[in-house]
Amino acid sequence: EPDVTIVSGLKDMVVSEGDDVTFRCQVSHEDARDVEWKLQDVALQNNEMNEISVERGKIHTLTLRKVTEQDIGTITFRVGAHTSTA
């Protein structure tokens, strides 16, 4: 299985309280496994507040809905041994 690397990393975002924000990270291969999103070192699950998806096989997205002050912090995307933060 080829080593999946991060082609295009996360970008820092500034949003207003109550807005949605989307983070995108492009990886080198489709169907990447061992992928994880974190906010302040807490693993995120796909639910009504966090939408985790994959576009066109290689672009992994995380949308945080109706952000609050508690959502301030570092977002981390990890695939295998590679990480990107914003």
Side-chain angles (χ1 to χ4, degrees):
E1 188 169 307
D3 185 29
V4 178
T5 60
I6 295 172
V7 176
S8 175
L10 300 176
K11 293 179 175 48
D12 290 342
M13 306 290 274
V14 177
V15 293
S16 298
E17 193 167 17
D19 287 351
D20 296 350
V21 60
T22 300
F23 295 90
R24 288 183 176 78
C25 202
Q26 183 174 349
V27 298
S28 57
H29 295 79
E30 292 187 10
D31 303 321
R33 291 182 185 80
D34 194 23
V35 170
E36 183 177 50
W37 287 96
K38 288 183 175 182
L39 171 59
Q40 294 293 66
D41 289 330
V42 176
L44 298 175
Q45 305 298 322
N46 197 19
N47 58 37
E48 66 277 353
M49 296 307 292
N50 312 316
E51 183 183 324
I52 297 170
S53 62
V54 181
E55 298 172 3
R56 296 190 294 283
K58 295 182 182 179
I59 300 172
H60 293 256
T61 66
L62 166 68
T63 300
L64 302 179
R65 304 232 178 264
K66 297 182 176 62
V67 296
T68 67
E69 281 189 27
Q70 286 74 43
D71 296 318
I72 292 172
T74 302
I75 293 285
T76 304
F77 173 82
R78 181 186 61 77
V79 58
H82 305 279
T83 60
S84 177
T85 59

